Amino acid sequence: MLTKSFKKLVVFTLVFVMLVGVAPVSAATTKISKEKATLEVDSTLTLKLNNSSGAISWKSSDKAVATVSQKGKITAKGEGIATITASSSGNNYKCTVTVVDSNKTSDNVDATDALNGIPKLKDNSDFKVVKSYTYSKYSSTYYVYKVEALKTIDASVKLTISDKKGNILDTAEDSISLSKGKQNFFRLSVDKKFADETNTFVLKASSSNPFWDGAEDAVKVVRYNQSGDTLYITVKQTKDDLGEFAQLKMLFFNNGNLVNTEELYYDIYAEELSGKGTESLMEIWIYGVTYTDIEFFFQDR
């Protein structure tokens, strides 16, 4: 015979099971797919409003920065910040969009522009950047920028490194001669301990009228070979004019990676050049440099 206590327990259990069995399942939360996004100018991003049961409308707080279609597709228009709002069933859901333009011409860059650990030098009216490199040697870190000249001009680039408090840690500067349509490179050397992406890097470019009005490409490399730690380079003067401070500049690559740079003045290392058609042997000590290719540049200054 069942006791009263046992009957009460059975009844309570049945009621609990019934209540649980009929308990409603809560609806999934409506949520926008992204609440923050950073886009390059002219790029796109499509947002979604997940778990929404009603109609959805989209709008942008600043169409000069970013527009949005009624399907949630954002198109970045110009630098700045815009809020994209999705409205559904009387509720609003927002995404903050920051639009940047990394190709914008500017003299200055900071750590936010760093690319693969290299402070980014931007194109300007004097030159366009073909390739940026970095390598370390001994206690120094080098930043190298191969550029193509848009005009014949003397150009300079100065790099300033500072910490988060604004204290200057190191500076580097290089000046080069540019001939329209030709390539050259800037080489900036800083103390290796300051080449830290947490620091702030500011690059500033400037230019002036060319100091030397000599001929372009007045010297060419005929041949080169290495013996021991010495690199022998035979050069030939191909035109009459050769600037007093003309240089042979070199980029050393090891399977595509920049490992060294050198700059040699002809009047010191190639004294036998005395006019068109003359040749001279240049020698340079390159201890500890392993390379597969050398890229040569002529600079007339």
Side-chain angles (χ1 to χ4, degrees), residues 102-107 109 113 115 118-134 143-150 155-157 176 178 182-186 188 203-205 251 297:
S102 63
N103 294 317
K104 182 179 178 181
T105 300
S106 172
D107 287 337
V109 300
D113 296 310
L115 178 64
I118 309 173
K120 187 176 180 182
L121 180 63
K122 297 182 178 180
D123 299 345
N124 59 32
S125 60
D126 298 326
F127 58 78
K128 64 179 180 180
V129 180
V130 177
K131 186 75 174 179
S132 301
Y133 310 92
T134 186
Y143 300 115
V144 178
Y145 304 93
K146 182 164 67 173
V147 299
E148 182 175 321
L150 301 178
S156 298
V157 168
I176 63 175
L178 295 173
K182 305 295 182 181
Q183 293 186 355
N184 202 342
F185 65 85
F186 295 101
L188 303 172
L203 278 167
K204 188 171 184 179
L251 297 178
F297 301 81

mmCIF file of all heavy atoms in Angstrom, residues 102-107 109 113 115 118-134 143-150 155-157 176 178 182-186 188 203-205 251 297:
data_model
loop_
_atom_site.group_PDB
_atom_site.id
_atom_site.type_symbol
_atom_site.label_atom_id
_atom_site.label_comp_id
_atom_site.label_asym_id
_atom_site.label_seq_id
_atom_site.Cartn_x
_atom_site.Cartn_y
_atom_site.Cartn_z
ATOM 1 N N SER A 102 45.618 53.705 -47.340
ATOM 2 C CA SER A 102 47.062 53.501 -47.192
ATOM 3 C C SER A 102 47.843 53.987 -48.393
ATOM 4 O O SER A 102 49.059 54.127 -48.340
ATOM 5 C CB SER A 102 47.364 52.017 -46.965
ATOM 6 O OG SER A 102 46.964 51.252 -48.087
ATOM 7 N N ASN A 103 47.158 54.272 -49.516
ATOM 8 C CA ASN A 103 47.841 54.745 -50.722
ATOM 9 C C ASN A 103 47.828 56.261 -50.844
ATOM 10 O O ASN A 103 48.325 56.811 -51.824
ATOM 11 C CB ASN A 103 47.184 54.139 -51.970
ATOM 12 C CG ASN A 103 47.379 52.650 -52.033
ATOM 13 O OD1 ASN A 103 48.457 52.144 -51.762
ATOM 14 N ND2 ASN A 103 46.314 51.933 -52.357
ATOM 15 N N LYS A 104 47.268 56.923 -49.864
ATOM 16 C CA LYS A 104 47.196 58.373 -49.917
ATOM 17 C C LYS A 104 48.581 58.984 -49.854
ATOM 18 O O LYS A 104 49.413 58.588 -49.052
ATOM 19 C CB LYS A 104 46.352 58.889 -48.748
ATOM 20 C CG LYS A 104 46.162 60.400 -48.741
ATOM 21 C CD LYS A 104 45.302 60.812 -47.567
ATOM 22 C CE LYS A 104 45.137 62.315 -47.508
ATOM 23 N NZ LYS A 104 44.310 62.741 -46.356
ATOM 24 N N THR A 105 48.854 59.950 -50.728
ATOM 25 C CA THR A 105 50.151 60.609 -50.742
ATOM 26 C C THR A 105 50.317 61.446 -49.484
ATOM 27 O O THR A 105 49.488 62.273 -49.155
ATOM 28 C CB THR A 105 50.288 61.523 -51.975
ATOM 29 O OG1 THR A 105 50.156 60.716 -53.143
ATOM 30 C CG2 THR A 105 51.639 62.213 -51.989
ATOM 31 N N SER A 106 51.412 61.193 -48.774
ATOM 32 C CA SER A 106 51.696 61.935 -47.552
ATOM 33 C C SER A 106 53.175 61.838 -47.241
ATOM 34 O O SER A 106 53.829 60.855 -47.557
ATOM 35 C CB SER A 106 50.880 61.357 -46.395
ATOM 36 O OG SER A 106 51.255 61.932 -45.174
ATOM 37 N N ASP A 107 53.725 62.866 -46.612
ATOM 38 C CA ASP A 107 55.124 62.830 -46.220
ATOM 39 C C ASP A 107 55.330 62.001 -44.968
ATOM 40 O O ASP A 107 56.407 61.460 -44.746
ATOM 41 C CB ASP A 107 55.641 64.242 -45.951
ATOM 42 C CG ASP A 107 55.832 65.027 -47.230
ATOM 43 O OD1 ASP A 107 55.985 64.381 -48.273
ATOM 44 O OD2 ASP A 107 55.828 66.261 -47.187
ATOM 45 N N VAL A 109 54.455 59.097 -41.954
ATOM 46 C CA VAL A 109 53.816 57.844 -41.582
ATOM 47 C C VAL A 109 54.140 57.589 -40.128
ATOM 48 O O VAL A 109 55.075 58.138 -39.578
ATOM 49 C CB VAL A 109 54.319 56.643 -42.434
ATOM 50 C CG1 VAL A 109 54.049 56.873 -43.883
ATOM 51 C CG2 VAL A 109 55.799 56.390 -42.202
ATOM 52 N N ASP A 113 51.224 52.520 -39.886
ATOM 53 C CA ASP A 113 51.417 52.255 -41.303
ATOM 54 C C ASP A 113 52.471 51.182 -41.557
ATOM 55 O O ASP A 113 52.795 50.875 -42.688
ATOM 56 C CB ASP A 113 51.863 53.530 -42.028
ATOM 57 C CG ASP A 113 50.794 54.602 -41.977
ATOM 58 O OD1 ASP A 113 49.646 54.284 -42.306
ATOM 59 O OD2 ASP A 113 51.109 55.726 -41.591
ATOM 60 N N LEU A 115 54.510 48.023 -42.351
ATOM 61 C CA LEU A 115 54.200 46.862 -43.172
ATOM 62 C C LEU A 115 55.309 45.841 -43.003
ATOM 63 O O LEU A 115 56.446 46.080 -43.367
ATOM 64 C CB LEU A 115 54.071 47.264 -44.644
ATOM 65 C CG LEU A 115 53.802 46.144 -45.646
ATOM 66 C CD1 LEU A 115 52.449 45.507 -45.366
ATOM 67 C CD2 LEU A 115 53.857 46.678 -47.060
ATOM 68 N N ILE A 118 58.327 47.211 -41.481
ATOM 69 C CA ILE A 118 59.011 48.282 -42.206
ATOM 70 C C ILE A 118 58.152 49.542 -42.164
ATOM 71 O O ILE A 118 57.009 49.523 -42.620
ATOM 72 C CB ILE A 118 59.259 47.891 -43.674
ATOM 73 C CG1 ILE A 118 59.945 46.524 -43.771
ATOM 74 C CG2 ILE A 118 60.092 48.959 -44.375
ATOM 75 C CD1 ILE A 118 60.059 46.002 -45.181
ATOM 76 N N PRO A 119 58.671 50.658 -41.621
ATOM 77 C CA PRO A 119 57.918 51.911 -41.709
ATOM 78 C C PRO A 119 57.592 52.202 -43.170
ATOM 79 O O PRO A 119 58.462 52.100 -44.029
ATOM 80 C CB PRO A 119 58.882 52.944 -41.125
ATOM 81 C CG PRO A 119 59.810 52.155 -40.275
ATOM 82 C CD PRO A 119 59.968 50.827 -40.949
ATOM 83 N N LYS A 120 56.370 52.550 -43.459
ATOM 84 C CA LYS A 120 55.929 52.657 -44.847
ATOM 85 C C LYS A 120 56.206 54.035 -45.434
ATOM 86 O O LYS A 120 55.694 55.034 -44.945
ATOM 87 C CB LYS A 120 54.439 52.341 -44.959
ATOM 88 C CG LYS A 120 53.957 52.271 -46.404
ATOM 89 C CD LYS A 120 52.515 51.853 -46.454
ATOM 90 C CE LYS A 120 52.016 51.788 -47.900
ATOM 91 N NZ LYS A 120 50.599 51.417 -47.970
ATOM 92 N N LEU A 121 57.011 54.075 -46.470
ATOM 93 C CA LEU A 121 57.248 55.299 -47.229
ATOM 94 C C LEU A 121 56.217 55.356 -48.346
ATOM 95 O O LEU A 121 56.069 54.411 -49.115
ATOM 96 C CB LEU A 121 58.665 55.294 -47.810
ATOM 97 C CG LEU A 121 59.064 56.522 -48.642
ATOM 98 C CD1 LEU A 121 59.061 57.783 -47.784
ATOM 99 C CD2 LEU A 121 60.434 56.316 -49.284
ATOM 100 N N LYS A 122 55.517 56.488 -48.444
ATOM 101 C CA LYS A 122 54.437 56.603 -49.416
ATOM 102 C C LYS A 122 54.883 57.342 -50.677
ATOM 103 O O LYS A 122 55.820 58.131 -50.658
ATOM 104 C CB LYS A 122 53.245 57.318 -48.778
ATOM 105 C CG LYS A 122 52.653 56.552 -47.605
ATOM 106 C CD LYS A 122 51.445 57.256 -47.032
ATOM 107 C CE LYS A 122 50.837 56.456 -45.887
ATOM 108 N NZ LYS A 122 49.657 57.112 -45.298
ATOM 109 N N ASP A 123 54.193 57.045 -51.773
ATOM 110 C CA ASP A 123 54.451 57.739 -53.027
ATOM 111 C C ASP A 123 54.204 59.236 -52.862
ATOM 112 O O ASP A 123 53.372 59.661 -52.062
ATOM 113 C CB ASP A 123 53.523 57.212 -54.126
ATOM 114 C CG ASP A 123 53.718 55.728 -54.392
ATOM 115 O OD1 ASP A 123 54.741 55.176 -53.957
ATOM 116 O OD2 ASP A 123 52.845 55.133 -55.044
ATOM 117 N N ASN A 124 54.939 60.031 -53.639
ATOM 118 C CA ASN A 124 54.659 61.466 -53.675
ATOM 119 C C ASN A 124 54.874 61.972 -55.095
ATOM 120 O O ASN A 124 55.015 61.176 -56.026
ATOM 121 C CB ASN A 124 55.506 62.229 -52.645
ATOM 122 C CG ASN A 124 56.998 62.057 -52.870
ATOM 123 O OD1 ASN A 124 57.460 61.903 -54.007
ATOM 124 N ND2 ASN A 124 57.766 62.089 -51.798
ATOM 125 N N SER A 125 54.926 63.266 -55.270
ATOM 126 C CA SER A 125 55.030 63.829 -56.619
ATOM 127 C C SER A 125 56.421 63.673 -57.217
ATOM 128 O O SER A 125 56.618 63.892 -58.410
ATOM 129 C CB SER A 125 54.638 65.313 -56.602
ATOM 130 O OG SER A 125 55.499 66.040 -55.730
ATOM 131 N N ASP A 126 57.416 63.298 -56.417
ATOM 132 C CA ASP A 126 58.797 63.147 -56.892
ATOM 133 C C ASP A 126 59.136 61.716 -57.277
ATOM 134 O O ASP A 126 59.934 61.479 -58.183
ATOM 135 C CB ASP A 126 59.792 63.618 -55.822
ATOM 136 C CG ASP A 126 59.638 65.080 -55.491
ATOM 137 O OD1 ASP A 126 59.314 65.854 -56.410
ATOM 138 O OD2 ASP A 126 59.831 65.451 -54.322
ATOM 139 N N PHE A 127 58.553 60.740 -56.560
ATOM 140 C CA PHE A 127 58.884 59.338 -56.814
ATOM 141 C C PHE A 127 57.742 58.436 -56.370
ATOM 142 O O PHE A 127 56.876 58.839 -55.596
ATOM 143 C CB PHE A 127 60.172 58.937 -56.085
ATOM 144 C CG PHE A 127 60.123 59.138 -54.591
ATOM 145 C CD1 PHE A 127 59.456 58.247 -53.758
ATOM 146 C CD2 PHE A 127 60.749 60.236 -54.011
ATOM 147 C CE1 PHE A 127 59.400 58.434 -52.380
ATOM 148 C CE2 PHE A 127 60.700 60.437 -52.636
ATOM 149 C CZ PHE A 127 60.023 59.529 -51.828
ATOM 150 N N LYS A 128 57.770 57.211 -56.882
ATOM 151 C CA LYS A 128 56.862 56.182 -56.405
ATOM 152 C C LYS A 128 57.692 55.038 -55.842
ATOM 153 O O LYS A 128 58.775 54.728 -56.357
ATOM 154 C CB LYS A 128 55.926 55.681 -57.512
ATOM 155 C CG LYS A 128 56.600 54.996 -58.671
ATOM 156 C CD LYS A 128 55.551 54.522 -59.684
ATOM 157 C CE LYS A 128 56.213 53.816 -60.873
ATOM 158 N NZ LYS A 128 55.208 53.352 -61.866
ATOM 159 N N VAL A 129 57.220 54.443 -54.767
ATOM 160 C CA VAL A 129 57.952 53.378 -54.096
ATOM 161 C C VAL A 129 57.717 52.060 -54.833
ATOM 162 O O VAL A 129 56.581 51.633 -55.017
ATOM 163 C CB VAL A 129 57.525 53.254 -52.626
ATOM 164 C CG1 VAL A 129 58.304 52.137 -51.932
ATOM 165 C CG2 VAL A 129 57.741 54.583 -51.905
ATOM 166 N N VAL A 130 58.808 51.438 -55.262
ATOM 167 C CA VAL A 130 58.730 50.171 -55.989
ATOM 168 C C VAL A 130 58.728 48.995 -55.028
ATOM 169 O O VAL A 130 57.948 48.049 -55.168
ATOM 170 C CB VAL A 130 59.904 50.057 -56.980
ATOM 171 C CG1 VAL A 130 59.879 48.705 -57.698
ATOM 172 C CG2 VAL A 130 59.884 51.189 -57.984
ATOM 173 N N LYS A 131 59.599 49.060 -54.011
ATOM 174 C CA LYS A 131 59.723 47.953 -53.057
ATOM 175 C C LYS A 131 60.387 48.451 -51.785
ATOM 176 O O LYS A 131 61.269 49.300 -51.844
ATOM 177 C CB LYS A 131 60.566 46.817 -53.675
ATOM 178 C CG LYS A 131 60.654 45.542 -52.861
ATOM 179 C CD LYS A 131 59.379 44.728 -52.915
ATOM 180 C CE LYS A 131 59.543 43.387 -52.205
ATOM 181 N NZ LYS A 131 58.303 42.592 -52.218
ATOM 182 N N SER A 132 59.948 47.902 -50.642
ATOM 183 C CA SER A 132 60.542 48.236 -49.351
ATOM 184 C C SER A 132 61.170 46.986 -48.747
ATOM 185 O O SER A 132 60.614 45.889 -48.852
ATOM 186 C CB SER A 132 59.479 48.788 -48.396
ATOM 187 O OG SER A 132 58.871 49.940 -48.934
ATOM 188 N N TYR A 133 62.335 47.159 -48.107
ATOM 189 C CA TYR A 133 63.061 46.033 -47.517
ATOM 190 C C TYR A 133 63.560 46.409 -46.124
ATOM 191 O O TYR A 133 63.681 47.587 -45.791
ATOM 192 C CB TYR A 133 64.296 45.661 -48.353
ATOM 193 C CG TYR A 133 64.084 45.465 -49.826
ATOM 194 C CD1 TYR A 133 64.243 46.523 -50.719
ATOM 195 C CD2 TYR A 133 63.754 44.211 -50.338
ATOM 196 C CE1 TYR A 133 64.076 46.340 -52.080
ATOM 197 C CE2 TYR A 133 63.587 44.022 -51.705
ATOM 198 C CZ TYR A 133 63.748 45.086 -52.568
ATOM 199 O OH TYR A 133 63.586 44.913 -53.917
ATOM 200 N N THR A 134 63.883 45.400 -45.350
ATOM 201 C CA THR A 134 64.605 45.610 -44.103
ATOM 202 C C THR A 134 65.545 44.443 -43.867
ATOM 203 O O THR A 134 65.268 43.312 -44.275
ATOM 204 C CB THR A 134 63.640 45.767 -42.906
ATOM 205 O OG1 THR A 134 64.389 46.112 -41.740
ATOM 206 C CG2 THR A 134 62.872 44.486 -42.635
ATOM 207 N N TYR A 143 66.519 50.095 -43.188
ATOM 208 C CA TYR A 143 65.287 50.195 -43.957
ATOM 209 C C TYR A 143 65.668 50.726 -45.330
ATOM 210 O O TYR A 143 66.295 51.787 -45.448
ATOM 211 C CB TYR A 143 64.286 51.127 -43.288
ATOM 212 C CG TYR A 143 63.880 50.686 -41.900
ATOM 213 C CD1 TYR A 143 64.200 51.457 -40.787
ATOM 214 C CD2 TYR A 143 63.183 49.491 -41.702
ATOM 215 C CE1 TYR A 143 63.828 51.054 -39.507
ATOM 216 C CE2 TYR A 143 62.814 49.084 -40.429
ATOM 217 C CZ TYR A 143 63.145 49.870 -39.336
ATOM 218 O OH TYR A 143 62.779 49.462 -38.083
ATOM 219 N N VAL A 144 65.306 49.977 -46.367
ATOM 220 C CA VAL A 144 65.706 50.318 -47.730
ATOM 221 C C VAL A 144 64.454 50.463 -48.590
ATOM 222 O O VAL A 144 63.567 49.596 -48.565
ATOM 223 C CB VAL A 144 66.637 49.236 -48.327
ATOM 224 C CG1 VAL A 144 67.007 49.577 -49.765
ATOM 225 C CG2 VAL A 144 67.900 49.102 -47.468
ATOM 226 N N TYR A 145 64.396 51.556 -49.350
ATOM 227 C CA TYR A 145 63.237 51.840 -50.195
ATOM 228 C C TYR A 145 63.700 52.057 -51.623
ATOM 229 O O TYR A 145 64.373 53.041 -51.923
ATOM 230 C CB TYR A 145 62.512 53.091 -49.691
ATOM 231 C CG TYR A 145 62.100 53.005 -48.240
ATOM 232 C CD1 TYR A 145 62.926 53.494 -47.238
ATOM 233 C CD2 TYR A 145 60.895 52.418 -47.881
ATOM 234 C CE1 TYR A 145 62.559 53.407 -45.899
ATOM 235 C CE2 TYR A 145 60.515 52.324 -46.552
ATOM 236 C CZ TYR A 145 61.356 52.811 -45.564
ATOM 237 O OH TYR A 145 60.996 52.720 -44.237
ATOM 238 N N LYS A 146 63.360 51.105 -52.492
ATOM 239 C CA LYS A 146 63.672 51.259 -53.918
ATOM 240 C C LYS A 146 62.563 52.091 -54.547
ATOM 241 O O LYS A 146 61.377 51.779 -54.407
ATOM 242 C CB LYS A 146 63.783 49.896 -54.604
ATOM 243 C CG LYS A 146 64.163 49.993 -56.069
ATOM 244 C CD LYS A 146 64.648 48.655 -56.620
ATOM 245 C CE LYS A 146 63.569 47.624 -56.674
ATOM 246 N NZ LYS A 146 63.992 46.389 -57.356
ATOM 247 N N VAL A 147 62.953 53.170 -55.229
ATOM 248 C CA VAL A 147 61.966 54.095 -55.780
ATOM 249 C C VAL A 147 62.225 54.327 -57.261
ATOM 250 O O VAL A 147 63.343 54.132 -57.755
ATOM 251 C CB VAL A 147 61.985 55.451 -55.030
ATOM 252 C CG1 VAL A 147 61.653 55.253 -53.561
ATOM 253 C CG2 VAL A 147 63.329 56.153 -55.180
ATOM 254 N N GLU A 148 61.176 54.748 -57.956
ATOM 255 C CA GLU A 148 61.293 55.142 -59.363
ATOM 256 C C GLU A 148 61.000 56.633 -59.463
ATOM 257 O O GLU A 148 59.987 57.108 -58.942
ATOM 258 C CB GLU A 148 60.329 54.356 -60.231
ATOM 259 C CG GLU A 148 60.437 54.693 -61.724
ATOM 260 C CD GLU A 148 59.562 53.823 -62.590
ATOM 261 O OE1 GLU A 148 59.445 52.610 -62.306
ATOM 262 O OE2 GLU A 148 58.978 54.356 -63.557
ATOM 263 N N ALA A 149 61.899 57.367 -60.112
ATOM 264 C CA ALA A 149 61.782 58.820 -60.181
ATOM 265 C C ALA A 149 60.679 59.254 -61.133
ATOM 266 O O ALA A 149 60.571 58.745 -62.249
ATOM 267 C CB ALA A 149 63.112 59.424 -60.614
ATOM 268 N N LEU A 150 59.873 60.213 -60.685
ATOM 269 C CA LEU A 150 58.849 60.821 -61.533
ATOM 270 C C LEU A 150 59.354 62.123 -62.150
ATOM 271 O O LEU A 150 58.719 62.682 -63.037
ATOM 272 C CB LEU A 150 57.589 61.087 -60.715
ATOM 273 C CG LEU A 150 56.949 59.852 -60.063
ATOM 274 C CD1 LEU A 150 55.733 60.254 -59.254
ATOM 275 C CD2 LEU A 150 56.578 58.819 -61.114
ATOM 276 N N ALA A 155 66.397 64.125 -53.830
ATOM 277 C CA ALA A 155 65.369 63.823 -52.830
ATOM 278 C C ALA A 155 66.010 63.338 -51.537
ATOM 279 O O ALA A 155 67.069 62.700 -51.555
ATOM 280 C CB ALA A 155 64.401 62.773 -53.364
ATOM 281 N N SER A 156 65.353 63.637 -50.430
ATOM 282 C CA SER A 156 65.815 63.207 -49.114
ATOM 283 C C SER A 156 64.665 62.589 -48.339
ATOM 284 O O SER A 156 63.511 62.966 -48.513
ATOM 285 C CB SER A 156 66.376 64.391 -48.313
ATOM 286 O OG SER A 156 67.485 64.968 -48.953
ATOM 287 N N VAL A 157 65.022 61.639 -47.473
ATOM 288 C CA VAL A 157 64.050 61.043 -46.564
ATOM 289 C C VAL A 157 64.674 61.006 -45.175
ATOM 290 O O VAL A 157 65.821 60.583 -45.017
ATOM 291 C CB VAL A 157 63.655 59.612 -47.004
ATOM 292 C CG1 VAL A 157 62.876 58.913 -45.900
ATOM 293 C CG2 VAL A 157 62.813 59.652 -48.262
ATOM 294 N N ILE A 176 69.402 61.217 -52.088
ATOM 295 C CA ILE A 176 69.780 60.543 -53.327
ATOM 296 C C ILE A 176 69.473 61.445 -54.517
ATOM 297 O O ILE A 176 68.702 62.401 -54.417
ATOM 298 C CB ILE A 176 69.049 59.192 -53.507
ATOM 299 C CG1 ILE A 176 67.536 59.406 -53.623
ATOM 300 C CG2 ILE A 176 69.384 58.250 -52.368
ATOM 301 C CD1 ILE A 176 66.761 58.125 -53.926
ATOM 302 N N LEU A 178 67.814 61.600 -58.225
ATOM 303 C CA LEU A 178 66.823 60.893 -59.024
ATOM 304 C C LEU A 178 66.815 61.420 -60.451
ATOM 305 O O LEU A 178 66.850 62.630 -60.674
ATOM 306 C CB LEU A 178 65.427 61.070 -58.424
ATOM 307 C CG LEU A 178 65.189 60.451 -57.050
ATOM 308 C CD1 LEU A 178 63.816 60.857 -56.514
ATOM 309 C CD2 LEU A 178 65.292 58.936 -57.118
ATOM 310 N N LYS A 182 64.158 56.532 -63.958
ATOM 311 C CA LYS A 182 65.175 55.612 -63.458
ATOM 312 C C LYS A 182 64.900 55.249 -62.003
ATOM 313 O O LYS A 182 64.149 55.928 -61.308
ATOM 314 C CB LYS A 182 66.570 56.235 -63.576
ATOM 315 C CG LYS A 182 66.926 56.689 -64.979
ATOM 316 C CD LYS A 182 67.013 55.531 -65.946
ATOM 317 C CE LYS A 182 67.428 56.005 -67.334
ATOM 318 N NZ LYS A 182 67.499 54.889 -68.311
ATOM 319 N N GLN A 183 65.541 54.190 -61.538
ATOM 320 C CA GLN A 183 65.362 53.739 -60.167
ATOM 321 C C GLN A 183 66.602 54.015 -59.321
ATOM 322 O O GLN A 183 67.724 54.070 -59.829
ATOM 323 C CB GLN A 183 65.035 52.246 -60.124
ATOM 324 C CG GLN A 183 63.674 51.909 -60.715
ATOM 325 C CD GLN A 183 63.306 50.453 -60.534
ATOM 326 O OE1 GLN A 183 64.080 49.640 -60.054
ATOM 327 N NE2 GLN A 183 62.071 50.111 -60.914
ATOM 328 N N ASN A 184 66.375 54.199 -58.044
ATOM 329 C CA ASN A 184 67.432 54.383 -57.066
ATOM 330 C C ASN A 184 66.890 53.905 -55.733
ATOM 331 O O ASN A 184 65.744 53.447 -55.653
ATOM 332 C CB ASN A 184 67.857 55.856 -57.009
ATOM 333 C CG ASN A 184 69.258 56.057 -56.433
ATOM 334 O OD1 ASN A 184 69.809 55.172 -55.770
ATOM 335 N ND2 ASN A 184 69.828 57.223 -56.667
ATOM 336 N N PHE A 185 67.680 53.991 -54.665
ATOM 337 C CA PHE A 185 67.148 53.574 -53.380
ATOM 338 C C PHE A 185 67.653 54.448 -52.238
ATOM 339 O O PHE A 185 68.759 54.978 -52.271
ATOM 340 C CB PHE A 185 67.447 52.100 -53.097
ATOM 341 C CG PHE A 185 68.911 51.756 -52.941
ATOM 342 C CD1 PHE A 185 69.552 51.895 -51.706
ATOM 343 C CD2 PHE A 185 69.648 51.268 -54.006
ATOM 344 C CE1 PHE A 185 70.890 51.566 -51.558
ATOM 345 C CE2 PHE A 185 70.991 50.932 -53.865
ATOM 346 C CZ PHE A 185 71.617 51.083 -52.637
ATOM 347 N N PHE A 186 66.772 54.610 -51.232
ATOM 348 C CA PHE A 186 67.136 55.227 -49.966
ATOM 349 C C PHE A 186 67.575 54.125 -49.004
ATOM 350 O O PHE A 186 66.971 53.050 -48.974
ATOM 351 C CB PHE A 186 65.932 55.952 -49.329
ATOM 352 C CG PHE A 186 65.425 57.128 -50.115
ATOM 353 C CD1 PHE A 186 64.295 57.015 -50.915
ATOM 354 C CD2 PHE A 186 66.054 58.364 -50.037
ATOM 355 C CE1 PHE A 186 63.800 58.100 -51.619
ATOM 356 C CE2 PHE A 186 65.562 59.462 -50.746
ATOM 357 C CZ PHE A 186 64.440 59.327 -51.534
ATOM 358 N N LEU A 188 68.310 53.744 -44.877
ATOM 359 C CA LEU A 188 68.272 54.366 -43.554
ATOM 360 C C LEU A 188 68.736 53.355 -42.514
ATOM 361 O O LEU A 188 68.231 52.232 -42.473
ATOM 362 C CB LEU A 188 66.856 54.832 -43.224
ATOM 363 C CG LEU A 188 66.221 55.812 -44.223
ATOM 364 C CD1 LEU A 188 64.761 56.042 -43.885
ATOM 365 C CD2 LEU A 188 66.982 57.124 -44.252
ATOM 366 N N LEU A 203 58.342 59.280 -41.095
ATOM 367 C CA LEU A 203 59.172 59.484 -42.283
ATOM 368 C C LEU A 203 58.762 60.796 -42.939
ATOM 369 O O LEU A 203 57.570 61.039 -43.141
ATOM 370 C CB LEU A 203 58.975 58.345 -43.288
ATOM 371 C CG LEU A 203 59.764 57.057 -43.039
ATOM 372 C CD1 LEU A 203 59.211 55.947 -43.910
ATOM 373 C CD2 LEU A 203 61.238 57.266 -43.341
ATOM 374 N N LYS A 204 59.736 61.615 -43.280
ATOM 375 C CA LYS A 204 59.439 62.869 -43.958
ATOM 376 C C LYS A 204 60.320 62.998 -45.187
ATOM 377 O O LYS A 204 61.541 62.894 -45.107
ATOM 378 C CB LYS A 204 59.654 64.058 -43.018
ATOM 379 C CG LYS A 204 59.165 65.363 -43.607
ATOM 380 C CD LYS A 204 59.187 66.481 -42.596
ATOM 381 C CE LYS A 204 58.594 67.762 -43.186
ATOM 382 N NZ LYS A 204 58.577 68.870 -42.210
ATOM 383 N N ALA A 205 59.695 63.219 -46.332
ATOM 384 C CA ALA A 205 60.422 63.352 -47.591
ATOM 385 C C ALA A 205 60.502 64.808 -48.001
ATOM 386 O O ALA A 205 59.582 65.589 -47.770
ATOM 387 C CB ALA A 205 59.725 62.539 -48.687
ATOM 388 N N LEU A 251 72.402 46.538 -54.303
ATOM 389 C CA LEU A 251 71.548 45.771 -53.408
ATOM 390 C C LEU A 251 71.930 44.298 -53.553
ATOM 391 O O LEU A 251 71.922 43.756 -54.664
ATOM 392 C CB LEU A 251 70.069 45.950 -53.747
ATOM 393 C CG LEU A 251 69.484 47.357 -53.622
ATOM 394 C CD1 LEU A 251 68.019 47.344 -54.048
ATOM 395 C CD2 LEU A 251 69.621 47.899 -52.212
ATOM 396 N N PHE A 297 72.877 50.141 -59.323
ATOM 397 C CA PHE A 297 72.267 51.434 -59.591
ATOM 398 C C PHE A 297 73.368 52.466 -59.832
ATOM 399 O O PHE A 297 74.394 52.466 -59.121
ATOM 400 C CB PHE A 297 71.396 51.903 -58.427
ATOM 401 C CG PHE A 297 70.270 50.968 -58.077
ATOM 402 C CD1 PHE A 297 70.501 49.859 -57.303
ATOM 403 C CD2 PHE A 297 68.983 51.227 -58.531
ATOM 404 C CE1 PHE A 297 69.469 48.987 -56.976
ATOM 405 C CE2 PHE A 297 67.949 50.365 -58.210
ATOM 406 C CZ PHE A 297 68.184 49.247 -57.435
#
